[in-house]
Amino acid sequence: VTVEGPIKEDKSSVLLSARSSYSDWILSRINDPVIRTSSANFNDFSLGLNYDFEKTLLSAFIYNSNDKFDLSSLSSYKYSNAGASINLYHSFNNLLRVNVALIGSQYSFNTKDMQEVSSAYQHSYSINHYELRTDFTQTLGDKNELNFGLSAINYKLNRGSLTPYGEES
């Protein structure tokens, strides 16, 4: 499902989108008992907003997705992504422009292997990304531009831990 349109004509707009899977009904019709008792799901959501302040354009974007797959009671996999950004574009005059962006994202993963009770385990990890970026464009003439700016990025990595799954593992 996608909805797009103006909020205020020639000033602001919105874009909203959402998706989801319906694959479980296919799996439930397969003759293999392992596949029939399995599950596969996907969903995502995004939202974009824009507002025009004459010489300044402000944009915001949000995204989230989740994937999950269970192979019967043998194993499980989960993935998720999330992100957001705020972007400010400003034109000081015909010769100097700036674009400032604040960005954040996260990816995480979780897996469970339950096939052998004695060696069953769970493992998860995540990585986060945070960024602040400022880009300037200075027009120097008909054929030349000077591009300069600053950028700072912070990554946070959580390698997670590998832990037993269940009391007998």
Side-chain angles (χ1 to χ4, degrees), residues 7-115:
I7 297 173
K8 185 175 182 184
E9 192 171 335
D10 295 329
K11 282 290 185 190
S12 59
S13 63
V14 64
L15 173 66
L16 175 66
S17 177
R19 299 182 297 174
S20 184
S21 66
Y22 51 92
S23 26
D24 284 347
W25 72 272
I26 295 172
L27 297 176
S28 68
R29 287 166 171 71
I30 296 176
N31 287 333
D32 184 315
V34 171
I35 301 297
R36 186 174 43 250
T37 58
S38 296
S39 173
N41 297 299
F42 162 82
N43 64 68
D44 72 2
F45 163 83
S46 63
L47 173 66
L49 298 168
N50 295 301
Y51 196 89
D52 189 350
F53 294 95
E54 309 256 342
K55 291 186 174 188
T56 303
L57 177 64
L58 180 64
S59 301
F61 181 74
I62 297 170
Y63 176 79
N64 185 288
S65 75
N66 296 287
D67 296 342
K68 183 179 180 205
F69 177 70
D70 293 323
L71 181 59
S72 188
S73 60
L74 301 175
S75 58
S76 172
Y77 303 92
K78 294 180 188 177
Y79 306 88
S80 91
N81 286 289
S85 67
I86 297 175
N87 204 347
L88 180 74
Y89 174 84
H90 180 72
S91 179
F92 293 102
N93 54 47
N94 290 342
L95 302 177
L96 181 62
R97 300 173 303 281
V98 66
N99 189 19
V100 179
L102 181 60
I103 304 160
S105 66
Q106 177 188 40
Y107 170 78
S108 62
F109 173 79
N110 177 279
T111 183
K112 295 176 189 169
D113 185 331
M114 304 158 286
Q115 293 183 46

Side-chain angles (χ1 to χ4, degrees), residues 84-86 100-105 128-135 150-155:
S85 67
I86 297 175
V100 179
L102 181 60
I103 304 160
S105 66
N128 297 332
H129 165 257
Y130 306 101
E131 182 174 355
L132 175 61
R133 185 173 59 224
T134 305
D135 299 310
L150 296 170
S151 177
I153 300 174
N154 179 317
Y155 293 103

Side-chain angles (χ1 to χ4, degrees), residues 112-132:
K112 295 176 189 169
D113 185 331
M114 304 158 286
Q115 293 183 46
E116 298 291 330
V117 174
S118 63
S119 61
Y121 68 89
Q122 176 174 290
H123 180 229
S124 60
Y125 65 87
S126 65
I127 184 167
N128 297 332
H129 165 257
Y130 306 101
E131 182 174 355
L132 175 61

